Amino acid sequence: MSAIHIHSVNLLSDDDGWIILSKTVFGKESIEESVKDTGKKIVEKCHGLPIAIKTIAGILRTKDVTAKEWEKVLDNEVWYFKDIPNRILPALYLSYQDLPSHLKQCFTYCSLFPKDWVLLRRFVAQFWISEGFVSGRGHSSLEEIAEDYFRELVKRCLFKIDPYYYDEYGCTMHDLVREMAISLANGECYCGNLEGLVNTSTKPRRISLVDDAIKMIPKAINVHGILRTIICQIPQLENIPEDLFYKLKRLRALCLSDTQIKALPNSIGNLTFLRYLDISRTRIKELPESVALLVNLQFMLIQECEHLHNLHNGIVMLHKLRSLDLEEDKERIEQVFEELCPPSCIEKLEINGFFGQESPSWLTYLPNLRRLDLIRCKSFQHLPSLGQLPQLNYLGIKGATSIVNAGPEFFGGSTKGGFPKLEKMHIRNMPNWESWQLTEWLANEETPLLPCFKELTLDGCPKLESIPGCLFQHATSLEELYIYQANCLSTLTDFSASIKKAQIWDCPRLEAISNLHKLADLNLKKCPKLKKMDNLSSLKHLSLLDEKMEDLPDWLQGITTQLQRLELRISPELLRRCVHRDGPEWTKIIKHISHVEGFAHGSFEEFSYIKSSNYFHSNLTDA
């Protein structure tokens, strides 16, 4: 008999349950009364369990907002099943049953990860690709498709966003959701210690060993010869039997990171189906020659391997390699990188901890490269000339702490045009970056720049004084702008006429945002000096987050009639003033906006107001 885990939870009333469900599904829109009635009946079936309500909301997010579609969920036979496996909650089981088949296997695969483990979107996507769960479509890369799978599981509330990360990059699984994944994996996935694995009656295809005691992988782990994934979370692991890999010919993914191993056995060359290999933060000194035989390897992670002194030339024979995450010894870094020269077919590349002052010469000659991440390249004096990479659609630069200025060389210098396929650029942790000097060069530029550019993120650039509006006026497809911790930025004006969504956080000197005529969704956090907001004719949704804000800003009065939704996350004191019907916050601002939601920082106090129906709900005692 399997163990039954007891979870103590606070149950919600049906009214509170409906509020959570409607907020999760709609966020802002009002709905028809017939849909609302059906929704409340669905909430009743969840018996006050918050996780059940949220996962059902995740299903409803994917349906048309009609009574007919919602009634299909209400009347689903799963609610009446008496033989749901291992007492899985009907609402959770229904959320699984509603998944497309490709998402079902991706979801149950995540039962491999331990309780409370943070699932990082990029790495989970690589595991899924390695297992063959992801099929290509159109012009999207397998990584893009797999990351879309991940986002879909977030949307369906089966993954819970970890607040430490943004853009849904890191997630966890609720205990009950994870237990459901374990149950539905039907013994194909095992996560636990060695003793439990040896004693299990099932024949797992995928194992995650979590064991602080063992120092050698025993041969018994592959008694059935069917393993496809091995994840070793064994901090004391020192040895791998030489003949182990002779018996693992079906293996697709092998993670040995954060162990004490000093060498890979030469028999690793027998893993001809291996697609994922992670030896980061190990004591490995060199790679064996047989690594050249891993002809199907797609993802190779070699980060923070302080003892590694020899990268075997066989790496350049791995023609299916899609991603190489590499960090090397400081003294040999430039030589190693010049010799490395990845195959021209590589589509994804991460360089982490590169200590050279100049980027390797081959970096600008990778004709199929689609994604490039440059992380902690602290000695770079200039940004590499990346603008002529013909297929690059994602560029991430993080921790290039020596960069002070960026100029035309970033786009290819005198060469006309730049970044013909780039869609997203994320620049983070650049503490000394002061300026982009592009105005004079752009005045003579005739070929379109950034014609496909859709999203820009600047995070942790405290000395950057301005963003070259002249540059992004060329980027007529730019729709999303994210700026965090730009301490010296004072204005965002005439930036790009195409921007529709912006998130501006922690910009203490920002004074003006104007002339963004298509901006519809704006999220502001801790911009205390912002005084000017004008010529934002399309702005519909606004979020203000600042627990130190003493008063609602005066400029709000100028846009109240055009706003469809205002979200406030402010101090409890200011929140109470907002709901006081005789106060200026209510009479001049709140009452004139279509939909307002307010939340108090550090407490559970909140209110919701819908103008059209004069709906008002609050848990404030004096509201």
Side-chain angles (χ1 to χ4, degrees):
M1 180 179 294
S2 61
I4 298 175
H5 300 276
I6 305 299
H7 298 270
S8 177
V9 297
N10 295 321
L11 300 181
L12 300 173
S13 68
D14 288 343
D15 287 342
D16 287 340
W18 166 248
I19 290 172
I20 287 178
L21 184 137
S22 59
K23 283 184 178 180
T24 304
V25 177
F26 306 109
K28 54 184 182 297
E29 297 101 346
S30 58
I31 60 171
E32 296 179 3
E33 202 64 33
S34 59
V35 176
K36 184 176 180 179
D37 290 342
T38 305
K40 288 189 172 183
K41 291 177 182 177
I42 293 173
V43 168
E44 291 175 5
K45 288 183 175 290
C46 296
H47 302 293
L49 288 167
I51 184 60
I53 295 168
K54 288 180 179 179
T55 52
I56 284 295
I59 297 175
L60 296 174
R61 274 177 170 177
T62 68
K63 310 298 182 185
D64 291 336
V65 186
T66 64
K68 181 178 180 180
E69 285 298 309
W70 282 37
E71 284 168 2
K72 290 179 182 178
V73 175
L74 176 65
D75 298 331
N76 194 289
E77 60 184 356
V78 168
W79 296 110
Y80 311 103
F81 278 2
K82 295 182 179 180
D83 56 350
I84 297 178
N86 291 341
R87 302 188 181 184
I88 297 171
L89 293 174
L92 269 62
Y93 192 60
L94 182 57
S95 69
Y96 172 78
Q97 290 287 76
D98 193 66
L99 291 175
S101 59
H102 62 273
L103 287 183
K104 286 181 177 177
Q105 58 187 355
C106 291
F107 171 70
T108 56
Y109 185 90
C110 292
S111 64
L112 275 176
F113 301 105
K115 181 177 180 291
D116 299 324
W117 191 264
V118 178
L119 308 175
L120 299 180
R121 183 175 67 227
R122 179 184 166 208
F123 296 106
V124 172
Q126 291 178 351
F127 277 114
W128 289 342
I129 294 170
S130 301
E131 280 276 3
F133 295 162
V134 183
S135 300
R137 65 166 186 257
H139 297 291
S140 298
S141 69
L142 293 180
E143 288 85 355
E144 291 168 336
I145 296 168
E147 292 196 17
D148 283 345
Y149 289 0
F150 190 97
R151 292 186 181 94
E152 180 68 15
L153 291 172
V154 174
K155 178 181 178 181
R156 290 172 175 266
C157 300
L158 291 170
F159 287 172
K160 180 173 63 174
I161 298 172
D162 188 311
Y164 180 79
Y165 302 89
Y166 58 87
D167 191 28
E168 303 175 354
Y169 185 74
C171 293
T172 57
M173 297 176 76
H174 189 282
D175 289 352
L176 292 175
V177 174
R178 180 175 177 270
E179 288 177 16
M180 177 174 70
I182 292 171
S183 177
L184 295 174
N186 200 27
E188 289 204 353
C189 297
Y190 172 84
C191 178
N193 61 21
L194 178 62
E195 182 181 0
L197 176 64
V198 172
N199 293 327
T200 184
S201 60
T202 62
K203 298 179 180 180
R205 293 175 178 268
R206 304 167 183 94
I207 63 172
S208 177
L209 281 177
V210 185
D211 200 315
D212 293 332
I214 62 175
K215 294 186 177 182
M216 176 181 285
I217 298 179
K219 300 176 185 179
I221 67 168
N222 194 42
V223 66
H224 304 297
I226 58 175
L227 286 180
R228 295 170 67 92
T229 292
I230 298 177
I231 300 174
C232 289
Q233 298 175 64
I234 310 174
Q236 302 304 315
L237 180 65
E238 295 179 351
N239 297 305
I240 301 174
E242 173 62 37
D243 59 349
L244 177 67
F245 293 138
Y246 289 121
K247 302 175 182 179
L248 292 169
K249 293 185 177 181
R250 299 185 186 184
L251 198 65
R252 299 289 189 93
L254 175 62
C255 178
L256 299 168
S257 63
D258 299 290
T259 63
Q260 302 298 314
I261 60 172
K262 297 179 180 179
L264 289 173
N266 207 48
S267 62
I268 195 170
N270 288 274
L271 304 181
T272 54
F273 290 102
L274 193 68
R275 296 178 179 179
Y276 178 100
L277 175 63
D278 185 357
I279 55 172
S280 300
R281 296 172 296 281
T282 61
R283 301 173 65 85
I284 285 178
K285 297 180 179 180
E286 62 180 357
L287 298 179
E289 294 182 7
S290 60
V291 73
L293 300 176
L294 302 177
V295 293
N296 286 297
L297 195 65
Q298 296 179 326
F299 305 102
M300 192 173 192
L301 291 79
I302 317 175
Q303 294 188 12
E304 300 179 54
C305 292
E306 298 177 357
H307 302 274
L308 184 66
H309 61 80
N310 182 22
L311 281 173
H312 194 273
N313 290 337
I315 287 183
V316 302
M317 302 301 293
L318 305 178
H319 297 305
K320 292 189 177 180
L321 200 63
R322 304 175 65 89
S323 175
L324 175 61
D325 293 7
L326 177 64
E327 184 176 297
E328 249 284 3
D329 180 76
K330 180 176 181 178
E331 285 139 4
R332 298 188 61 250
I333 197 74
E334 289 184 339
Q335 177 187 353
V336 167
F337 269 69
E338 283 298 332
E339 293 175 354
L340 180 60
C341 192
S344 60
C345 62
I346 195 167
E347 295 183 2
K348 182 174 177 292
L349 175 66
E350 176 179 312
I351 298 177
N352 193 329
F354 180 71
F355 285 95
Q357 293 189 356
E358 302 291 337
S359 61
S361 60
W362 45 257
L363 186 58
T364 57
Y365 298 99
L366 297 173
N368 293 296
L369 191 65
R370 295 170 60 88
R371 178 179 178 128
L372 174 63
D373 289 275
L374 302 175
I375 300 174
R376 295 192 299 124
C377 298
K378 297 180 179 180
S379 299
F380 272 4
Q381 300 301 303
H382 306 283
L383 291 177
S385 297
L386 302 172
Q388 302 308 308
L389 290 172
Q391 300 299 325
L392 190 69
N393 62 22
Y394 175 93
L395 174 62
I397 301 174
K398 180 180 180 181
T401 55
S402 295
I403 297 292
V404 176
N405 300 307
E409 74 283 347
F410 181 45
F411 290 84
S414 59
T415 305
K416 294 296 183 181
F419 295 107
K421 294 287 186 69
L422 192 69
E423 296 181 4
K424 296 182 180 182
M425 183 189 301
H426 294 178
I427 300 179
R428 298 187 172 96
N429 189 20
M430 302 273 278
N432 295 304
W433 186 28
E434 296 178 359
S435 66
W436 272 0
Q437 299 171 341
L438 299 168
T439 306
E440 182 178 345
W441 176 68
L442 284 171
N444 300 316
E445 182 58 45
E446 298 176 359
T447 307
L449 292 171
L450 300 162
C452 301
F453 197 41
K454 296 180 180 179
E455 179 183 314
L456 172 66
T457 297
L458 299 175
D459 183 0
C461 305
K463 294 184 178 180
L464 187 64
E465 297 180 356
S466 63
I467 302 171
C470 57
L471 168 61
F472 294 105
Q473 286 173 4
H474 284 251
T476 56
S477 297
L478 182 62
E479 294 185 349
E480 297 184 24
L481 175 66
Y482 302 92
I483 300 178
Y484 311 100
Q485 300 177 57
N487 295 5
C488 293
L489 187 67
S490 60
T491 63
L492 275 176
T493 181
D494 301 314
F495 185 74
S496 175
S498 58
I499 290 178
K500 296 179 180 178
K501 180 180 180 181
Q503 193 169 78
I504 316 296
W505 287 12
D506 300 297
C507 295
R509 297 185 186 179
L510 183 65
E511 296 180 354
I513 300 176
S514 61
N515 299 333
L516 303 179
H517 298 290
K518 292 187 178 181
L519 183 64
D521 190 332
L522 176 61
N523 186 304
L524 294 172
K525 179 180 180 181
K526 295 183 180 178
C527 299
K529 291 191 176 182
L530 184 61
K531 304 297 182 185
K532 181 181 179 182
M533 288 270 287
D534 56 17
N535 293 328
L536 306 174
S537 56
S538 298
L539 188 62
K540 302 299 181 187
H541 307 142
L542 175 66
S543 297
L544 291 178
L545 298 83
D546 192 342
E547 69 275 13
K548 295 183 179 180
M549 184 189 300
E550 296 180 356
D551 301 287
L552 295 183
D554 292 337
W555 49 259
L556 262 178
Q557 296 183 43
I559 59 174
T560 55
T561 56
Q562 73 182 67
L563 284 180
Q564 293 180 357
R565 183 173 186 266
L566 171 66
E567 178 184 345
L568 300 170
R569 294 184 181 271
I570 50 182
S571 68
E573 295 76 18
L574 182 54
L575 189 77
R576 294 188 191 103
R577 283 161 47 200
C578 286
V579 300
H580 193 278
R581 299 302 177 97
D582 297 325
E585 289 82 5
W586 179 271
T587 58
K588 294 182 179 181
I589 297 173
I590 303 297
K591 66 178 289 187
H592 302 289
I593 298 174
S594 297
H595 184 186
V596 184
E597 290 192 340
F599 305 90
H601 177 80
S603 78
F604 294 102
E605 296 176 312
E606 63 180 27
F607 78 88
S608 180
Y609 166 69
I610 299 175
K611 179 182 175 183
S612 61
S613 60
N614 201 29
Y615 169 83
F616 182 84
H617 171 81
S618 173
N619 60 8
L620 292 159
T621 55
D622 54 351

